[in-house]
Amino acid sequence: MWKLTLSSQGDDPWVTSTNNHIGRLYWEFDPNLGTPEERAHVEKLRNDFTINRFQYKNSADLLLRLQFAKKNPCEMELEKVRILEGEEVTKEKVSRTLRRALKFHSTLQAEDGFWPADFGGPMFLLPGLVIGLAVTGDLDMMLPLEHKKEICRYLYNHQNEDGGWGLHIEGCSMMLGTALSYVTLRLLGERMDGGDGAMEKARSWILDRGGVTFIPSWGKTWLSVLGLYEWSGNNPMPPEFWLLPYFVPIHPGRMWCHCRMVYLAMSYLYGKRFVGSINTLILSLREELYVLPYHCIDWNKARNQCAKEDLYYPHPMIQDMLSGCLQKIGEPLLMKWPLSKVRQRALTSVMQLIHHEDQTTHYICLAPVNKALNMVCCWVEDPNSEAYKRHLSRIKDYLWVAEDGMKMQGFNGVQLWDVGFAAQAILATDLVDEYGFMLKKAHNFIRNTQIREDSVAEYRHISKGGWPFSTRDNGWSVSDCTAEALKTAVLLSQMPSNIVGEATSADRLYDGVNYLLSMQNSNGGYASFELTRSYAWLEMLNSAEVFGDIMIDYQYVECTSAAIQCFAAFMKAHPRHRRQEIEECIAKGIDFIESIQRPDGSWYGSWAVCFTYGTWFGIKGLVAAGRTFQNCYSIRRACDFLLSKQLDNGGWGESYLSSQNKVYTNLEGNKAHLIHTAWATLALIEAGQAERDPVPLHRAALVLINSQMENGDFPQEEIVGVFNKNCMISYATYRNTFPIWALGEYRNRVL
């Protein structure tokens, strides 16, 4: 059986940490673990998922729950509440529901204070890791039989009925997901006719759409590294761009960090024209995946080919013209002496930047794509290097096992982000006397996860005082993560230490404020990881095809609102510290939030689905700054928008298509979704809906209460996380955190 290990180095000497590995999580297989009954139960969970995979595409993290149920048994004495249509929602019923929810949620909290959870969903992450390990020759060592079995289970479980795979688990089939998943299965040992016809269906899907020359650019890069595609079929990614003066707007250091870190490593591999060993499997795949013989393919034509299913952001003409010039003129010159010396200098510079990123993140790296790419680059530079060995040791940090199989997460977890929300949800219930032990552990995790030093890596914003998305060892401070953590730390620091633990010291709170003040852009808005460093027109160079708005770090309503809420809470506790700067920051932030409100009263949410989420943050930020329904037209418009989207069943339910198409779209069948219902409820309560007309809130509360399961858990529903407009990701703890938060606010501010 599989076992989740928490906050541990294990027995690996190559793994280092700044805080004794607090927050680290990884799964290990133990062949001797579990009774026959427990193993049979796990198999039943897996089989149930497979049987229902086309109806319920999101796993419910049941293997995690099974392990924690054994460690922390939850004997639920309180009876489940069921409220009939027309029946009154009473404070006693809400309180009972909350106590049941908190008791269950407490059993999932780790001793170090965080909630381990699935953060999967994207289908293009695992293939990069598998391809990278296949190229370096360590696939069998790092992914032994049980790992391969679970990865194959995951891929087959998320294959669509038409034979393809999407960009994410709920998405329609695309060439990127399909081709990379097919190649991954073959590298893991699956036969051409394997999977009870699944492989044949996948291959037909690919060939019916012209073969893998139509894979988007990131796929072209991975296949080139593997030897399944020619580098001449890629648009140029010259490493020489890193030698430009920083003041040039297209300098890669001015890009959004996720974008620049991916293209940093890609430019090294492109500049080297690195290709792995060509073996019989690679030669076979060259025959399986193309409609023409491999030697007959027009690779220059293939550079700009992309399947229509994948083409979310088509290349602007200027990008194709620039790429054509680089391909025909720039690259031939740079490959020959004397300009080849410039190429070598650029490659050396790029590799230094890769090492800086690796070292400052303890080889976790910013995220999974650049993690796998950096690992390959380190191996290409020196297969026996310490850097490569350290990379191998951190692979497990990204792998998650659930009843649907083994997946690669979108980060090395979502630890800090989840803790900030969970703690605020518990505070909202006003049941702290009963569940303060959860807050004490959460508070301890927040203190231990604050970043205490600036990064030495180039092109990084200051990080001291900030908080990361996941763990301190990840090392990347994020604006909204810092805001939520700092706000929570401030709130908890004002409570009795015997309940919530030792208060965070003032100097560390001040460090957080300093970081957050430094993150505001001149227009008042907050981006995610860094200041916005270049211009929106740089998006014309976005060559990814499948993602939108990736070139610079744009400003977001969520990040801006979180900062405003944090500063409002901080000023109440520390009214004299940099007050004028904070007040000016809040005023500018409010102007930004109001300036980006949409004509229908909503805000577009960039980090979760979608308008419901963005509008919750928009309202919260305005209210934190002193705006009210009565004195703020923006709040009135936002409330009208939310009320107009309430379903006949009393809930809200928004499809991921809202994020993709930028138009509000209900879930199929006008189904309510717990998390959207909670977000809308929280927003309306914050805007004073209870004083005007509490009926919409009563109806929403009924949906939340009746959805609770017998054991106090809440059901896993459709995917709600998103990034880059077009790719969805799972936030598995949201199903518990936000119903608790919404019902807590409802209990104390409405009833």
Side-chain angles (χ1 to χ4, degrees):
M1 286 179 62
W2 289 89
K3 177 185 177 182
L4 180 64
T5 300
L6 303 174
S7 301
S8 173
Q9 180 185 10
D11 58 0
D12 194 334
W14 295 112
V15 176
T16 58
S17 175
T18 56
N19 68 344
N20 200 28
H21 309 281
I22 291 174
R24 189 185 188 208
L25 41 78
Y26 58 89
W27 289 87
E28 294 181 299
F29 183 78
D30 183 349
N32 301 314
L33 189 66
T35 66
E37 292 77 16
E38 288 170 339
R39 296 181 187 185
H41 184 43
V42 169
E43 285 306 311
K44 183 180 185 304
L45 297 177
R46 290 167 172 162
N47 291 335
D48 288 347
F49 184 89
T50 300
I51 291 169
N52 299 299
R53 66 189 184 280
F54 296 127
Q55 289 74 43
Y56 303 100
K57 298 188 176 184
N58 231 332
S59 62
D61 237 355
L62 296 180
L63 300 194
L64 169 79
R65 280 158 166 73
L66 192 64
Q67 177 173 323
F68 273 70
K70 186 175 182 179
K71 180 183 177 184
N72 307 318
C74 182
E75 298 179 7
M76 191 62 68
E77 300 90 359
L78 295 172
E79 186 179 346
K80 181 184 182 315
V81 175
R82 178 71 186 176
I83 302 176
L84 301 177
E85 186 71 33
E87 188 177 345
E88 183 182 3
V89 181
T90 66
K91 196 164 190 175
E92 185 279 327
K93 292 175 180 176
V94 177
S95 298
R96 195 192 331 163
T97 301
L98 282 170
R99 286 187 170 93
R100 285 167 44 81
L102 287 168
K103 183 170 185 178
F104 177 82
H105 203 35
S106 72
T107 67
L108 298 179
Q109 188 179 21
E111 284 303 312
D112 282 325
F114 65 100
W115 279 264
D118 182 356
F119 190 51
M123 294 302 298
F124 62 92
L125 303 179
L126 256 180
L129 175 64
V130 173
I131 290 172
L133 289 172
V135 165
T136 64
D138 285 316
L139 181 61
D140 292 338
M141 180 180 74
M142 299 308 303
L143 300 177
L145 181 61
E146 292 298 330
H147 287 69
K148 291 178 181 177
K149 185 189 299 183
E150 292 306 315
I151 292 173
C152 290
R153 185 194 310 277
Y154 178 73
L155 292 175
Y156 283 135
N157 272 332
H158 294 289
Q159 186 177 22
N160 291 328
E161 291 182 89
D162 63 3
W165 283 268
L167 190 63
H168 55 89
I169 57 174
E170 293 188 13
C172 297
S173 296
M174 296 170 61
M175 185 64 77
L176 182 68
T178 305
L180 290 182
S181 295
Y182 181 90
V183 169
T184 299
L185 286 166
R186 293 286 280 124
L187 291 173
L188 292 173
E190 293 295 286
R191 302 188 313 273
M192 284 180 61
D193 58 352
D196 293 327
M199 296 294 283
E200 185 177 352
K201 285 182 69 175
R203 194 164 57 252
S204 295
W205 193 98
I206 294 167
L207 296 176
D208 287 347
R209 287 155 182 81
V212 294
T213 55
F214 285 87
I215 196 170
S217 62
W218 285 20
K220 293 181 195 295
T221 299
W222 275 121
L223 296 186
S224 296
V225 168
L226 188 58
L228 286 182
Y229 193 94
E230 294 300 307
W231 280 111
S232 58
N234 289 261
N235 278 315
M237 296 175 280
E240 287 77 14
F241 274 108
W242 288 93
L243 300 180
L244 292 171
Y246 184 73
F247 64 79
V248 177
I250 62 171
H251 188 286
R254 294 182 172 276
M255 294 178 181
W256 181 42
C257 60
H258 281 276
C259 181
R260 77 167 180 263
M261 284 298 156
V262 167
Y263 284 110
L264 174 69
M266 284 186 174
S267 72
Y268 181 82
L269 296 169
Y270 174 83
K272 284 276 192 179
R273 300 296 198 276
F274 171 77
V275 179
S277 299
I278 306 301
N279 54 34
T280 55
L281 176 57
I282 301 302
L283 294 175
S284 177
L285 283 166
R286 286 181 175 183
E287 295 180 2
E288 296 167 32
L289 296 174
Y290 292 95
V291 295
L292 292 174
Y294 191 78
H295 66 277
C296 294
I297 295 169
D298 184 344
W299 295 108
N300 185 58
K301 181 180 178 182
R303 286 189 301 113
N304 293 316
Q305 288 181 333
C306 181
K308 60 180 175 54
E309 292 85 353
D310 296 60
L311 200 57
Y312 184 72
Y313 185 84
H315 294 178
M317 183 184 297
I318 190 170
Q319 181 185 145
D320 288 341
M321 291 172 62
L322 177 61
S323 296
C325 290
L326 287 172
Q327 178 79 358
K328 295 175 182 177
I329 302 172
E331 280 300 312
L333 290 174
L334 286 165
M335 298 294 282
K336 297 177 181 178
W337 190 89
L339 291 182
S340 58
K341 290 186 175 182
V342 177
R343 169 60 50 94
Q344 189 54 51
R345 181 182 161 214
L347 290 171
T348 300
S349 177
V350 164
M351 202 63 219
Q352 289 174 348
L353 293 172
I354 289 172
H355 286 314
H356 282 159
E357 158 72 354
D358 292 344
Q359 292 159 6
T360 56
T361 62
H362 298 267
Y363 293 83
I364 296 168
C365 298
L366 173 60
V369 177
N370 81 303
K371 160 66 181 176
L373 287 165
N374 283 15
M375 179 185 73
V376 174
C377 291
C378 288
W379 184 86
V380 171
E381 183 189 42
D382 180 0
N384 299 310
S385 66
E386 178 182 310
Y388 176 64
K389 293 172 184 175
R390 292 189 183 279
H391 264 297
L392 293 178
S393 295
R394 284 293 191 176
I395 287 173
K396 62 175 69 174
D397 294 53
Y398 279 99
L399 300 177
W400 188 264
V401 182
E403 65 271 22
D404 60 340
M406 177 176 278
K407 62 203 77 175
M408 195 170 190
Q409 301 191 100
F411 241 72
N412 65 315
V414 62
Q415 295 90 320
L416 186 279
W417 181 247
D418 279 346
V419 167
F421 279 153
Q424 292 177 68
I426 296 166
L427 287 171
T429 67
D430 201 23
L431 297 172
V432 173
D433 290 342
E434 299 175 50
Y435 294 97
F437 67 93
M438 297 169 71
L439 290 174
K440 181 179 285 190
K441 291 196 288 186
H443 194 186
N444 188 51
F445 183 78
I446 289 172
R447 284 198 308 272
N448 284 323
T449 307
Q450 187 180 22
I451 296 173
R452 305 299 298 134
E453 61 283 317
D454 286 323
S455 169
V456 298
E458 291 188 68
Y459 311 116
R460 289 278 296 273
H461 192 78
I462 66 167
S463 50
K464 181 181 179 181
W467 273 268
F469 184 74
S470 55
T471 62
R472 182 170 164 183
D473 286 339
N474 171 266
W476 282 83
S477 292
V478 192
S479 65
D480 53 352
C481 298
T482 298
E484 299 295 347
L486 180 56
K487 177 174 66 170
T488 303
V490 168
L491 295 174
L492 293 177
S493 295
Q494 299 173 73
M495 298 178 67
S497 60
N498 64 309
I499 296 178
V500 299
E502 177 188 352
T504 304
S505 62
D507 64 312
R508 291 182 62 175
L509 296 178
Y510 296 165
D511 284 345
V513 168
N514 182 66
Y515 167 80
L516 208 52
L517 284 171
S518 76
M519 283 290 291
Q520 188 173 42
N521 288 283
S522 59
N523 66 353
Y526 275 77
S528 56
F529 288 80
E530 295 160 335
L531 292 167
T532 305
R533 297 174 172 179
S534 196
Y535 307 96
W537 58 256
L538 203 63
E539 208 64 40
M540 290 189 296
L541 301 182
N542 175 3
S543 61
E545 289 115 353
V546 295
F547 303 124
D549 291 355
I550 66 168
M551 294 300 291
I552 62 173
D553 205 342
Y554 293 89
Q555 303 96 40
Y556 305 99
V557 64
E558 301 102 305
C559 299
T560 308
S561 170
I564 291 169
Q565 295 174 56
C566 173
F567 283 137
F570 177 82
M571 279 202 302
K572 290 178 183 178
H574 301 267
R576 297 181 180 178
H577 184 75
R578 302 178 71 170
R579 186 177 185 91
Q580 182 176 348
E581 293 173 76
I582 291 173
E583 288 178 340
E584 291 174 355
C585 175
I586 290 175
K588 290 171 63 180
I590 288 301
D591 288 344
F592 172 78
I593 287 177
E594 291 184 328
S595 73
I596 62 170
Q597 188 176 25
R598 292 163 59 94
D600 63 1
S602 69
W603 283 271
Y604 180 90
S606 295
W607 302 106
V609 178
C610 167
F611 297 103
T612 315
Y613 185 70
T615 303
W616 172 49
F617 270 99
I619 288 175
K620 285 274 285 184
L622 293 171
V623 171
R627 303 289 200 274
T628 66
F629 183 89
Q630 288 73 26
N631 68 20
C632 181
Y633 181 51
S634 289
I635 292 179
R636 294 196 294 274
R637 290 166 59 210
C639 289
D640 288 343
F641 168 80
L642 288 174
L643 291 171
S644 74
K645 302 304 180 185
Q646 190 171 26
L647 301 168
D648 292 341
N649 57 28
W652 282 260
E654 192 174 359
S655 167
Y656 77 82
L657 295 173
S658 292
S659 299
Q660 183 176 302
N661 301 328
K662 302 179 185 178
V663 176
Y664 189 97
T665 307
N666 284 336
L667 287 170
E668 188 175 352
N670 291 334
K671 175 187 172 184
H673 194 294
L674 282 173
I675 298 170
H676 291 120
T677 301
W679 287 336
T681 300
L682 286 165
L684 290 169
I685 290 174
E686 198 70 26
Q689 183 66 34
E691 290 78 41
R692 296 185 298 277
D693 176 14
V695 172
L697 301 175
H698 296 324
R699 296 175 64 219
L702 187 146
V703 171
L704 296 174
I705 291 169
N706 285 343
S707 297
Q708 191 177 44
M709 299 161 66
E710 290 292 338
N711 64 352
D713 199 0
F714 287 91
Q716 178 65 55
E717 297 178 318
E718 287 81 1
I719 204 162
V720 295
V722 65
F723 60 92
N724 298 344
K725 302 290 187 289
N726 196 36
C727 192
M728 310 304 135
I729 196 163
S730 300
Y731 285 84
T733 65
Y734 280 15
R735 66 197 254 203
N736 302 99
T737 297
F738 286 107
I740 290 171
W741 195 342
L743 288 173
E745 295 282 8
Y746 175 76
R747 172 183 181 265
N748 296 307
R749 298 176 64 177
V750 179
L751 296 179

